Amino acid sequence: MDVPGDIRGLWDRARVLSRTHPRTVDIGIALLVQAAMTMPFVVPRAPELPAATWQAYGLTTLTVLPLVWRRRAPLTVFAAILATSALYRLAVDGPGQPLPYTGLVAVYTIAALCPPRRRLATLLVLLVAVPVSVWLNTRSVRELTFSLFVFAAAYVFGRLVDTSRRANRIEAEQAAAQERARIAREMHDILSHAVSLMIVQAEAGPVAVRTAPERAEAAFDAISETGRDAMVQLRRMLGVLREEPEGDRAPREPQPGIAALPGLLERVRAGGLEVTYEETGAVRALGDATGMTVHRIVQEALTNTVKHAAARRAHIHLTYGEAGLGITVTDDGRGARTPAAGGHGLVGVRERAAAHGGLATTGPGPDGRGFELRVELPLEPARKGER
């Protein structure tokens, strides 16, 4: 039996219940405190101790009742508990409690939910109320020390819970921001690539109509195919964000990976760019995330070439190493001074590479001509016999 794991599971479920049904949790806490404060009234008592009367028990219940509203008005609840506790001490000679349960819950709530000024006011009140309560009860230094300790512990526990809640909220906000950035990057890559190819084909279409009608027909087919492919990819991506009833949920295809590269290269070739593709090393299967990253990097590199480089040829080279994959995209265009070197597209390439623990660099192509993008992605070492 994994006791720590079971305790953590119960704690996580309690946190979820506290967020979804706070009033139910507060009622449960009030009932639990009431049960604890009932114990001195039901256990046998020595004759010299104060009698456990119904009047005293009713006032005890009145002390617990404000806990039901502890989240809505923590300071008001704290003041009500102080007032009813003082009334119990001064007006009724009833059984005492081993712990100030209601006060501890109220202090914890204030520490966990209230702003600094209200927390400071509560601490100042405690510094007066605790010694007064001890003086009215036993006038014992031991009781004073113990009371201060348990109230300090309740306050510290409340602050720890608030700190953990803030950390979780910040983590969730950061995760949401990263997801928004990822979606924006995906949409940029899909739309930028598709629109760039469609513009190139549309500009070449009128010339081809006059000189080579068969090429014009191929150009318009390429525009149509590129548009359809972009729509399919956008549906895949946005379909993950759309919540649908179970019965209406359509199967979602994975994002394109290595297997989709031939189709990508054919669409680029249809725009007039001569593209060659080469793989070296021990070629092996890649995970879905890595495969999609490779596809997007090649797609963005070719998009930049089409948009900015005025190139005639591009070469894609994938190098499979023992523990890494190298991606090299070169062209014979304008070179590293092209705007592509600092555009949003290559920023996205660097972000994709960094997300996988890799590195992306750019510079002049072979012999100083053209432009070259180099990306290194770490991979799990290949197992023996694996291709």
Side-chain angles (χ1 to χ4, degrees), residues 187-199:
M187 294 189 68
H188 169 272
D189 290 352
I190 294 171
L191 295 176
S192 177
H193 174 75
V195 172
S196 297
L197 291 184
M198 292 167 73
I199 290 173

Side-chain angles (χ1 to χ4, degrees), residues 185 293 297 347-361 374-378:
R185 189 166 56 239
T293 296
I297 288 174
V347 171
V349 168
R350 294 187 183 97
E351 290 175 350
R352 288 183 184 278
H356 286 269
L359 180 66
T361 57
R374 297 175 296 277
V375 179
E376 294 291 334
L377 298 178

Side-chain angles (χ1 to χ4, degrees), residues 95-154:
Q97 298 290 337
L99 283 172
Y101 301 105
T102 53
L104 293 177
V105 175
V107 169
Y108 160 81
T109 303
I110 291 172
L113 301 180
C114 289
R117 288 186 178 181
R118 296 186 179 185
R119 297 200 304 266
L120 178 60
T122 301
L123 291 177
L124 294 176
V125 171
L126 284 175
L127 289 177
V128 176
V130 171
V132 170
S133 176
V134 172
W135 185 81
L136 292 174
N137 189 25
T138 64
R139 303 184 183 182
S140 167
V141 175
R142 179 180 178 182
E143 183 184 357
L144 176 63
T145 304
F146 178 74
S147 298
L148 292 174
F149 172 78
V150 293
F151 277 110

